[in-house]
Amino acid sequence: MKTILAVETSCDETAVATVNSDKQILAHEILSQTEHNKCGGVVPEIASRAHMEHLSSLIKSAMEKSNLNFCDLDAIAATSGPGLIGGLIVGTMMAKAIAHVVQKPFIAVNHLEAHTLVIRLLYEVKFPFLVLLISGGHCQFLIAQDVGKYVKLGETLDDSLGEAFDKVAKMLSLNYPGGPLIEKLAKKGDGIRFKLPRAMVKRSGCNFSFSGIKTAVKNLVQELRMSEQDVCDICASFQECISDILLDRAKNAITMAESLNVEINDFVITGGVAANNFLREKLRKHINLNIFFPPNNLCTDNAVMVGWTGVERLQRNYIDPLNFAPRPRWGLESY
Ligand code: KG4
Ligand code: ZN
């Protein structure tokens, strides 16, 4: 059995976990930097300072909760990209330092691979499978062929889906992160009141574009008096629009996978936006594949996904040198 200590610091969550190859989560520590709420987004400099401040105490607490000494570990993993460079340096350096002191392997984890593979900690999902990764930083379809082996089918041409949620929320004077608040208010709204543009729908391929929807919402905000009901109706109409786009794009992604002669049975939808229940239900209802979502707390950023990816990589002997440099831009195809 292999046990991994994992660190996640690529954005504004400082997270630490211990995970083993028996699929046990021994500790799961997470600290969100809520102070960004006031700024309406993540401030990279504040984020990296906060990682510096909290990371060592979270590691101490994770090790105590899992009843482990550093010498009991089989490897130390950190998210080394993509993400904000300051945070990536903090987490990667900490993991390397521990690895060096206890003479255990270091594993540089790609954040997107972590979002993708965490599903295999929970369910028997076998390669190859289709992935829709919808987070604050990314929006793409992939075929996961194996650990470290991905084919990108399509991606956003402008904003990520999480960004679209956050920017629309900001226009509606809602706090950051906007996704969960939009989901909550949409429950009280009329999803067919406003017809927002379904960009890219009916076009070939599975790319996305969300900038037109943002502009449409901006115009609505200027036109309306913005009663509480108006806000709820915009939230519901926005989710309705996004669900139509995701469905159309997912159907094309499935056709694209088929045309590559890849037999896909399982479809994994992951990343922060995959926590949205409205979108989950819509996709489950209309897509004829086995759909898997991680539970909400493993959809949004966490270190369990990094630890599990560490396990999968260690099992294949994919370890990294201590001079591995963090990669703020790091596509899954460039492994
Ligand atoms: O995966 P994640 O935690 O961080 C990145 O890797 O980017 O995703 C964060 C994003 C934010 O944009 C947030 O608004 C969105 O996920 N999000 C949601 C929901 N929960 C989080 N979007 C829609 N509905 C939700 N329930
Ligand atoms: Zn993420």
Side-chain angles (χ1 to χ4, degrees):
M1 196 199 37
K2 305 285 184 197
T3 305
I4 305 249
L5 169 69
V7 170
E8 160 61 50
T9 53
S10 66
C11 189
D12 60 346
E13 264 85 28
T14 316
V16 177
T18 45
V19 178
N20 67 29
S21 52
D22 285 349
K23 302 191 169 181
Q24 289 169 318
I25 301 169
L26 307 173
H28 181 183
E29 302 290 298
I30 184 154
L31 203 93
S32 275
Q33 299 174 17
T34 44
E35 66 256 44
H36 300 307
N37 278 350
K38 288 180 234 131
C39 318
V42 182
V43 182
E45 181 66 24
I46 301 180
S48 43
R49 281 169 194 259
H51 290 310
M52 283 280 282
E53 209 176 310
H54 301 297
L55 187 56
S56 42
S57 59
L58 289 184
I59 291 176
K60 187 163 181 276
S61 155
M63 294 300 286
E64 281 169 9
K65 284 185 185 162
S66 27
N67 220 355
L68 290 169
N69 288 313
F70 286 108
C71 53
D72 300 326
L73 298 169
D74 294 286
I76 297 90
T79 298
S80 294
L84 300 171
I85 187 65
L88 293 174
I89 291 174
V90 173
T92 300
M93 289 303 287
M94 178 65 95
K96 285 179 180 179
I98 298 171
H100 178 68
V101 170
V102 295
Q103 289 293 296
K104 302 285 172 159
F106 161 70
I107 300 172
V109 170
N110 179 302
H111 184 82
L112 310 181
E113 180 164 57
H115 272 302
T116 301
L117 292 184
V118 69
I119 205 74
R120 286 163 50 87
L121 167 74
L122 306 154
Y123 305 102
E124 290 297 316
V125 176
K126 294 202 170 66
F127 295 110
F129 56 91
L130 181 66
V131 184
L132 170 59
L133 175 58
I134 38 178
S135 70
H138 297 86
C139 186
Q140 52 189 246
F141 281 104
L142 301 156
I143 298 174
Q145 294 182 312
D146 202 342
V147 174
K149 236 179 133 193
Y150 302 88
V151 176
K152 198 196 290 169
L153 299 177
E155 65 188 325
T156 181
L157 305 177
D158 37 57
D159 290 342
S160 73
L161 185 50
E163 255 178 303
F165 267 91
D166 295 335
K167 288 179 181 172
V168 165
K170 199 171 178 184
M171 289 181 221
L172 301 176
S173 307
L174 305 173
N175 275 344
Y176 174 86
L181 294 167
I182 290 187
E183 180 176 11
K184 193 169 157 216
L185 295 175
K187 291 198 179 111
K188 295 185 271 178
D190 173 4
I192 53 173
R193 177 166 165 207
F194 303 113
K195 184 86 181 156
L196 298 169
R198 270 67 173 161
M200 311 296 281
V201 163
K202 302 266 182 332
R203 285 217 218 158
S204 60
C206 60
N207 285 336
F208 297 93
S209 166
F210 299 111
S211 58
I213 308 175
K214 255 179 2 199
T215 313
V217 171
K218 197 171 164 200
N219 293 339
L220 278 179
V221 170
Q222 279 164 1
E223 281 162 28
L224 296 166
R225 288 182 48 226
M226 296 303 284
S227 66
E228 257 178 56
Q229 193 57 52
D230 290 338
V231 172
C232 295
D233 292 347
I234 293 177
C235 290
S237 301
F238 173 70
Q239 282 196 161
E240 205 55 70
C241 169
I242 297 298
S243 70
D244 285 347
I245 295 172
L246 291 183
L247 262 179
D248 176 88
R249 304 285 84 191
K251 284 177 183 163
N252 281 10
I254 293 165
T255 313
M256 286 170 81
E258 280 165 4
S259 68
L260 292 171
N261 283 331
V262 184
E263 195 179 319
I264 300 282
N265 298 310
D266 296 339
F267 183 15
V268 172
I269 306 179
T270 185
V273 184
N276 185 294
N277 275 314
F278 178 83
L279 298 179
R280 284 184 184 221
E281 276 169 33
K282 266 287 181 86
L283 288 159
R284 261 198 214 291
K285 207 164 147 196
H286 295 100
I287 299 275
N288 199 16
L289 290 174
N290 303 321
I291 300 198
F292 295 87
F293 296 95
N296 283 5
N297 66 340
L298 299 181
C299 276
T300 47
D301 286 351
N302 65 87
V304 170
M305 66 185 193
V306 181
W308 176 251
T309 302
V311 167
E312 296 244 38
R313 295 190 81 83
L314 186 64
Q315 282 169 338
R316 289 159 180 81
N317 229 356
Y318 297 166
I319 58 173
D320 295 284
L322 287 183
N323 65 358
F324 185 100
R327 300 178 182 170
R329 292 178 177 274
W330 186 7
L332 268 183
E333 285 186 307
S334 55
Y335 262 116

